[in-house]
Amino acid sequence: MSDQTASADRQIDSIVSSMSNEEKVDLLSGFGMWKTAGIPAHGIKPVVMTDGTYGVRYSIPQIDGDERGGMDIDAFLSVVNQRASDVAVAWGEMKPATCFPNGSAMGNSWDEALMHRLGTLLGKECRAMGVHLLLGPGINIRRTPLAGRSYEYYSEDPVVTGKLSAAVIDGIQSQGVGTSLKHFACNNSEVERTTMDSLVEERALREIYLKGFEIAIKQSKPWTIMSSLLARLGPDGPGGLMLSGHVDVVPAAGQQWTVPPFQLTRRDGRLYGRGTTDMKSFVACMMALVERLDPEGLTAPLWLAISYDEEIGCVGVRPMIEDMADRGIRPDLIVVGEPTSMQLGLGHKGKMAFRVTATGVPRHSAEAPLALNALHLATDFIAGLRRLQEEIEARGPREQGYSVPYATVHVGKLVGGTAVNLVPDKAELLLECRVMAADDPLGLAARIRNVAATALAPHKVRFAEATLEVEDTGSYPGLATEADDPSVQAFADCLPDGTTECRLSFGTEGGLFAQALEVPVVVCGPGDMQQGHRPDEFIDQGQLMICDRVLLDAVDRFCRGNEEPASHVPKQMHGKL
């Protein structure tokens, strides 16, 4: 760290320590539509931001207007959701700006140097207008005509999108102006885009929609993006305690709620709303804990890890964990706050998911014996999986505490065929495995592929073109933490008398933490998952009171004590997922 950077950090720490809680919240809340709040008493000026993927759009009434920013949220959303009768009136007078070719035109250039030049010019115009952060580039994938802003996006190809957007970002930020990658992935409809739901399979999400974001972030490091948050209270040193939670929730659409799902309702000692159990309540307890603590009184760090997109495969926490590993962050214990009714969760199963495509040989059904029915091939494979499941049940590793104490292999979907009088040449099935922490997931995946090869082999002599392709579509590791680990025992002492240990039927980011950081991890949080994901989801307020007390006691033991708990590497899966 340079002397200049160290001096700036000390100055920032001094300013923050002198701010009131209200002033800190103001910095996070924004001021009007396009600025952060300025706090003149501390010399903090507003950060001005605006749109402009192919030209800086500076709306004078919105940015330079009254205290609300010249436009209230309802008026803004009327534009966003394509309800405004006159968009030009809604935006008001603009500062003159250069209109560059739009994203789809620039994307056809395949020219990274040209895109860097575009970014440099956009950065210079931002500086001339007093804009500190340009909300762009827009890199959602152009896959549907319903996405009315496809003209802003570069390509249907995620690699082209990622490379070109990285060049634009580098150009803009070379001028001292920040960027913000947008829009949220799967922004597939302009109409009602703040409420619509994009249903995307996990493979398409990873390989198409998110890939461009990954390339741009790794290559150009944009200043801002929807991201996970890793915060530290107390000294920057080894050990301490980490609390982990996620802020995304499952959709409420299609469920019959009697209370507003996204508005907190208090009734008879319960808190109703989407995510109250899974898992906004634990995140709320984390924030309440911060309010009660004096960081200067901590002798070891308290880490707060808040991630996004946990519900679709622990997506947001993965790059954060990678960064922790690179930085050598190794707390004495990590507490994942998924709902366990404040029981001590010491393990959960891992998951592997696969897509299997069967390719047969088509023919009219009148001559079916001369063809190879892809559905038949797929069901032969399924029969092999059932025999594999029987072998696992009879001879596979077991771990007590689960309703099914061994690995499971499950086919959840099978599709194929177009008409009853045609022998189908394609069939597809989706399967998943829930594996014990003691299992060898790579070995199990190899056994599944062997089942596919066995099912296919009898047909290859007559039908050389027949195939059974097994594709990985996602995974996360299981968790198995030893109950007698000193750090686990120290945390268990913070729990109420009579608290029991448990194994969880659902997955968490706990296995990812334990595998990457090699530290003990437990799962313990308020609420019962039986209430999670359901209509009228709720949590008992008493659960939050217990959680508040437990977290305070845990901070005393891990972050204020003089003795460091001796960390133990938990038993993990063979072969990383």
Side-chain angles (χ1 to χ4, degrees):
M1 181 185 294
S2 68
D3 291 341
Q4 185 177 6
T5 301
S7 175
D9 286 347
R10 287 194 295 270
Q11 184 180 6
I12 291 171
D13 290 342
S14 175
I15 292 173
V16 171
S17 64
S18 65
M19 294 172 63
S20 67
N21 289 334
E22 289 76 12
E23 290 170 332
K24 294 174 184 176
V25 171
D26 282 344
L27 286 181
L28 301 176
S29 303
F31 184 78
M33 297 303 304
W34 301 102
K35 292 185 287 190
T36 63
I39 306 180
H42 299 285
I44 300 174
K45 297 180 180 180
V47 175
V48 177
M49 60 197 82
T50 191
D51 278 330
T53 55
Y54 57 93
V56 182
R57 185 181 69 202
Y58 194 106
S59 168
I60 295 174
Q62 288 181 29
I63 298 176
D64 299 335
D66 60 26
E67 292 185 356
R68 297 180 305 157
M71 188 180 192
D72 62 32
I73 189 66
D74 291 333
F76 176 75
L77 290 178
S78 73
V79 176
V80 169
N81 289 324
Q82 300 290 290
R83 295 193 304 266
S85 58
D86 191 335
V87 174
V89 171
W91 291 120
E93 182 184 357
M94 303 282 187
K95 285 186 178 181
T98 305
C99 183
F100 296 96
N102 65 23
S104 58
M106 295 297 290
N108 282 311
S109 72
W110 289 47
D111 189 334
E112 293 178 65
L114 179 65
M115 301 301 282
H116 187 279
R117 184 182 176 197
L118 168 65
T120 301
L121 294 172
L122 286 170
K124 288 181 177 180
E125 289 211 354
C126 284
R127 289 181 66 90
M129 295 183 189
V131 172
H132 307 109
L133 182 70
L134 190 64
L135 303 180
I139 66 166
N140 193 40
I141 297 298
R142 304 176 59 195
R143 298 195 77 205
T144 165
L146 295 177
R149 301 177 78 166
S150 290
Y151 61 89
E152 294 186 20
Y153 306 142
Y154 296 132
S155 173
E156 295 178 8
D157 184 287
V159 176
V160 174
T161 292
K163 292 288 187 180
L164 296 185
S165 60
V168 173
I169 292 166
D170 284 339
I172 294 172
Q173 295 185 168
S174 71
Q175 302 303 304
V177 175
T179 58
S180 182
L181 271 179
K182 65 177 192 180
H183 296 96
F184 293 116
C186 308
N187 179 45
N188 285 347
S189 174
E190 190 64 13
V191 176
E192 296 296 337
R193 71 184 178 101
T194 61
T195 56
M196 64 87 61
D197 189 12
S198 296
L199 303 178
V200 183
E201 290 191 359
E202 186 173 349
R203 181 186 178 194
L205 181 68
R206 291 182 179 276
E207 296 182 5
I208 299 176
Y209 284 100
L210 297 179
K211 190 65 177 180
F213 284 89
E214 179 185 15
I215 293 171
I217 291 168
K218 288 184 175 179
Q219 186 170 320
S220 64
K221 294 180 173 57
W223 288 7
T224 67
I225 189 173
M226 181 185 70
S227 63
S228 300
L229 171 68
L230 178 63
R232 187 193 80 245
L233 283 77
D236 185 6
L241 177 68
M242 179 176 290
L243 308 177
S244 176
H246 65 85
V247 290
D248 62 308
V249 296
V250 298
Q255 296 182 332
Q256 299 299 316
W257 286 68
T258 63
V259 295
F262 295 105
Q263 175 181 321
L264 185 68
T265 300
R266 299 174 184 267
R267 181 189 300 163
D268 301 328
R270 293 176 173 177
L271 304 176
Y272 291 84
R274 172 54 82 228
T276 49
T277 289
D278 184 20
M279 57 175 297
K280 292 178 181 177
S281 290
F282 184 76
V283 175
C285 290
M286 290 167 62
M287 297 300 100
L289 176 68
V290 171
E291 285 292 306
R292 295 184 178 100
L293 295 179
D294 175 13
E296 298 296 326
L298 303 182
T299 58
L302 170 64
W303 296 95
L304 307 178
I306 302 176
S307 60
Y308 66 94
D309 283 353
E310 186 271 349
E311 300 288 359
I312 58 172
C314 299
V315 172
V317 77
R318 294 174 190 257
M320 180 165 61
I321 292 175
E322 182 180 339
D323 183 66
M324 291 179 196
D326 291 343
R327 294 169 56 186
I329 296 173
R330 300 289 190 277
D332 290 315
L333 181 72
I334 297 175
V335 179
V336 176
E338 290 281 1
T340 65
S341 298
M342 294 306 295
Q343 296 180 68
L344 183 61
L346 296 178
H348 62 72
K349 292 184 179 182
K351 175 183 172 181
M352 299 188 296
F354 302 91
R355 174 184 286 104
V356 180
T357 304
T359 302
V361 176
R363 207 173 183 105
H364 192 280
S365 62
E367 299 179 317
L370 303 178
L372 176 59
N373 190 316
L375 282 170
H376 292 179
L377 183 57
T379 53
D380 289 346
F381 172 70
I382 293 174
L385 291 180
R386 294 181 66 183
R387 289 191 292 272
L388 174 61
Q389 179 67 81
E390 292 171 357
E391 293 175 13
I392 292 171
E393 183 177 357
R395 292 181 288 277
R398 288 176 172 258
E399 185 174 340
Q400 298 307 312
Y402 293 99
S403 57
V404 180
Y406 47 82
T408 58
V409 181
H410 160 74
V411 176
K413 185 178 181 181
L414 172 63
V415 295
T418 56
V420 70
N421 62 344
L422 294 175
V423 177
D425 64 340
K426 289 288 184 183
E428 181 181 276
L429 61 89
L430 302 179
L431 72 95
E432 70 167 30
C433 304
R434 300 284 176 156
V435 291
M436 314 302 299
D439 280 310
D440 176 2
L442 301 183
L444 182 56
R447 294 173 73 181
I448 289 171
R449 288 184 166 84
N450 287 337
V451 171
T454 300
L456 179 64
H459 305 287
K460 290 296 285 186
V461 175
R462 291 182 60 200
F463 306 103
E465 60 269 53
T467 60
L468 262 174
E469 299 178 354
V470 181
E471 303 171 79
D472 300 331
T473 58
S475 62
Y476 56 77
L479 174 71
T481 302
E482 301 289 354
D484 59 358
D485 181 280
S487 292
V488 174
Q489 287 295 308
F491 182 76
D493 289 342
C494 303
L495 297 170
D497 292 341
T499 298
T500 58
E501 299 171 3
C502 65
R503 303 296 187 277
L504 308 172
S505 60
F506 53 88
T508 78
E509 68 269 29
L512 292 167
F513 273 117
Q515 188 178 79
L517 304 185
E518 297 185 334
V519 298
V521 180
V522 297
V523 184
C524 183
D528 185 343
M529 187 55 91
Q530 292 297 321
Q531 305 301 331
H533 299 194
R534 295 187 176 187
D536 289 351
E537 179 179 350
F538 71 85
I539 189 170
D540 288 320
Q541 286 183 261
Q543 285 280 296
L544 274 71
M545 297 171 64
I546 295 172
C547 186
D548 284 343
R549 290 195 297 268
V550 168
L551 294 185
L552 278 171
D553 287 347
V555 168
D556 283 340
R557 288 181 179 268
F558 287 88
C559 305
R560 289 196 180 109
N562 296 319
E563 297 184 5
E564 296 182 6
S567 294
H568 167 76
V569 180
K571 178 175 58 181
Q572 283 303 305
M573 307 167 83
H574 304 290
K576 291 190 175 183
L577 289 174

